[in-house]
Amino acid sequence: MSAAINTSLDIENIRKQFPVLHQKVNGRDLVYFDNAATNQKPEVVIRALVEYYSNYNANIHRGIHTLAEKATKAYEHTRHLVKEFIHADSEQEIVFVRGVTEAINLVAATYGKAFIREGDEIIISGLEHHSNIVPWQFVCQDRKAVLKVIPVKDNGELDIDHFKSLLSDRTKLVAVNHASNSLGTINPIKQIIDLAHANHAVVLIDGAQAGAHLPIDVKALKCDFYCLSSHKMFGPTGTGILYGKKNLLELMPPYQGGGEMIKSVSFEKTTYNDLPYKFEAGTPNIADVIAFGKAIEFITAIGKEAIAAHEHELLVYATEKIKSLPHVRVIGEAKEKVGVLSFSVDGIHPFDIGQMLDARGIAVRTGHHCTEPLMARFGVEGTVRASFSVYNTKQEVDQLIEGLDRIIKFMK
Ligand code: PMP
């Protein structure tokens, strides 16, 4: 990990914007370190939901009345914000979905159906979340294609030399995450994309753990598909986006059939709507999409660089401190990491640690983090994971370390 960068963020002021943080859990001030699972929501996001339902709840696109127009404008404004946020060429390349899981399933079901043939190969990595494994298994089963996996090195980084050896003219698609939810590893996605493109394979990037932490420029990356979940970016659950290059989205068949995704329907023939609506069948998640827009504005107002620098400082601080505790094994020490600290304690089950930390008001995640193959790679059933956000403080890290110290002394 590189040296800490000092940031001038007013963390106290940021914390004030998150109502949920100001509560006691089990008699202690809440310390929320489960941000990789979902992060908390600022007041602007919560207010946007209440405002929509209180003032202009209406179905979008079809109505000409004032409320419908207002709701449509707000919904489409989020599409515009996402487009700017990830530097896409056009709003037509932004498809609203339920989140990263649905975005990957959409590509697997549609691109997979149209373009993957018997004997083709799909490459994923050993760092993937189940949602970037299972949909490709579906495709491979259905198309008689072959799934290949980039191995993970002992420090939690991908073995890029091995990746190069996996690439061939049979490779049709590469799907990897931008950052690992279990270990925090930031993957060299530009290099992965360039290598895949040199082999004429398309690339999907799972950006679930990047949305709130890392700069994303789909044009500079030249990636073909990029997926985001709103709820990991200070926005509501139940929405997110699939970015796809326009020429690819145009070639792909629709995902679901229904209203909105059609141009015209007769019993003999249906024609499909233009992008991005071809992939947005049915009434969408209007309120959450609108509030997602507020979350993007929230991130942009603070600045991703400042957020990343603050979280990095917490990660470096926490990693150093945790390593001074006896019996602790840090899992995942890649040079480039987002604010995720995974560890195990010899002889104490992660679940017990999680419960004992919860008794002290400290929320961490324990288990396999939906990455069972990765846990197997490191020979553990699961880990304890503390993941940081912009509103976390060094004082909270101290509370975690103190809690762990006591648990280890008590249990050992
Ligand atoms: N990929 C990664 C790396 C994740 O961390 C997650 C969520 N834990 C997902 C995919 C799935 O995202 P969602 O549950 O929002 O669809």
Side-chain angles (χ1 to χ4, degrees):
M1 273 178 280
S2 46
I5 305 157
N6 210 3
T7 62
S8 52
L9 287 180
D10 182 350
I11 303 299
E12 269 321 299
N13 185 38
I14 289 171
R15 286 181 70 81
K16 276 191 199 137
Q17 298 175 52
F18 289 82
V20 82
L21 295 178
H22 308 286
Q23 63 175 298
K24 302 248 183 233
V25 169
N26 296 321
R28 312 276 188 110
D29 287 338
L30 168 67
V31 174
Y32 188 79
F33 281 155
D34 195 17
N35 296 288
T38 196
N39 60 15
Q40 298 299 346
K41 318 306 170 201
E43 247 161 23
V44 277
V45 168
I46 300 166
R47 219 177 316 127
L49 293 169
V50 175
E51 263 171 33
Y52 168 75
Y53 285 119
S54 307
N55 300 326
Y56 62 104
N57 171 52
N59 211 330
I60 56 168
H61 295 141
R62 291 173 283 264
I64 47 125
H65 60 80
T66 303
L67 296 196
E69 276 187 3
K70 190 170 173 191
T72 303
K73 216 166 142 194
Y75 179 87
E76 291 301 330
H77 182 59
T78 298
R79 203 187 305 272
H80 172 73
L81 291 173
V82 174
K83 178 214 137 198
E84 300 280 306
F85 190 72
I86 65 171
H87 303 279
D89 267 334
S90 136
E91 280 88 359
Q92 288 188 293
E93 299 180 316
I94 311 296
V95 177
F96 286 118
V97 288
R98 278 194 299 126
V100 168
T101 302
E102 189 174 46
I104 298 172
N105 275 280
L106 189 161
V107 176
T110 62
Y111 190 89
K113 187 168 157 192
F115 297 108
I116 305 293
R117 303 268 169 271
E118 186 169 344
D120 285 348
E121 292 178 0
I122 293 172
I123 301 179
I124 59 172
S125 93
L127 283 174
E128 299 315 309
H129 188 277
H130 295 162
S131 62
N132 203 21
I133 301 174
V134 184
W136 305 118
Q137 290 175 329
F138 291 167
V139 176
C140 288
Q141 277 158 20
D142 189 51
R143 314 304 294 171
K144 298 194 176 64
V146 180
L147 193 66
K148 301 254 161 159
V149 182
I150 311 169
V152 180
K153 297 193 285 189
D154 288 344
N155 67 354
E157 291 175 1
L158 290 182
D159 184 341
I160 298 298
D161 285 335
H162 194 102
F163 173 53
K164 289 178 189 164
S165 76
L166 293 179
L167 285 163
S168 75
D169 57 7
R170 289 185 300 279
T171 312
K172 289 294 173 313
L173 189 142
V174 176
V176 293
N177 61 45
H178 197 158
S180 155
N181 63 305
S182 287
L183 308 187
T185 311
I186 300 173
N187 288 315
I189 55 166
K190 177 72 184 133
Q191 188 188 7
I192 290 171
I193 291 166
D194 288 346
L195 286 166
H197 283 174
N199 276 266
H200 310 290
V202 298
V203 183
L204 175 142
I205 302 294
D206 164 357
Q209 296 299 332
H213 314 281
L214 299 173
I216 301 164
D217 187 332
V218 292
K219 217 154 46 183
L221 287 168
K222 296 196 175 79
C223 72
D224 303 289
F225 301 105
Y226 196 100
C227 317
L228 287 172
S229 283
S230 150
H231 73 95
K232 296 189 197 281
M233 302 168 61
F234 308 107
T237 51
T239 192
I241 62 104
L242 167 69
Y243 158 82
K245 277 184 186 157
K246 193 174 164 199
N247 62 325
L248 288 176
L249 292 178
E250 265 165 355
L251 291 173
M252 286 152 56
Y255 181 43
Q256 295 175 327
E260 196 70 18
M261 53 75 69
I262 54 90
K263 227 171 213 157
S264 80
V265 178
S266 73
F267 289 119
E268 289 72 38
K269 185 177 165 56
T270 291
T271 55
Y272 307 132
N273 207 342
D274 297 327
L275 292 176
Y277 309 110
K278 180 173 96 175
F279 292 106
E280 294 183 6
T283 299
N285 189 350
I286 305 164
D288 292 321
V289 165
I290 292 170
F292 180 28
K294 298 293 174 195
I296 289 171
E297 285 173 340
F298 174 83
I299 295 173
T300 309
I302 300 176
K304 266 208 193 163
E305 275 191 8
I307 294 175
H310 174 72
E311 291 167 352
H312 185 75
E313 207 173 307
L314 292 177
L315 177 71
V316 171
Y317 183 71
T319 305
E320 208 177 286
K321 289 218 149 193
I322 212 167
K323 280 179 154 182
S324 70
L325 297 177
H327 313 293
V328 170
R329 171 188 175 201
V330 171
I331 300 175
E333 295 201 75
K335 274 188 233 67
E336 302 288 334
K337 281 181 69 172
V338 290
V340 169
L341 178 56
S342 241
F343 60 93
S344 59
V345 181
D346 293 341
I348 314 180
H349 197 279
F351 184 77
D352 293 332
I353 295 173
Q355 269 196 331
M356 286 186 272
L357 286 174
D358 183 57
R360 307 175 72 85
I362 302 167
V364 293
R365 183 136 300 234
T366 64
H368 55 59
H369 318 297
C370 295
T371 55
E372 281 192 55
L374 182 61
M375 296 294 110
R377 157 67 181 85
F378 282 93
V380 291
E381 234 178 273
T383 70
V384 184
R385 181 186 72 185
S387 49
F388 307 121
S389 185
V390 68
Y391 41 67
N392 291 127
T393 64
K394 282 189 177 169
Q395 191 199 333
E396 290 180 313
V397 172
D398 290 339
Q399 281 168 258
L400 170 71
I401 301 297
E402 190 202 324
L404 276 173
D405 190 32
R406 295 220 174 174
I407 292 165
I408 293 168
K409 282 188 180 131
F410 175 71
M411 298 289 282
K412 287 285 185 182

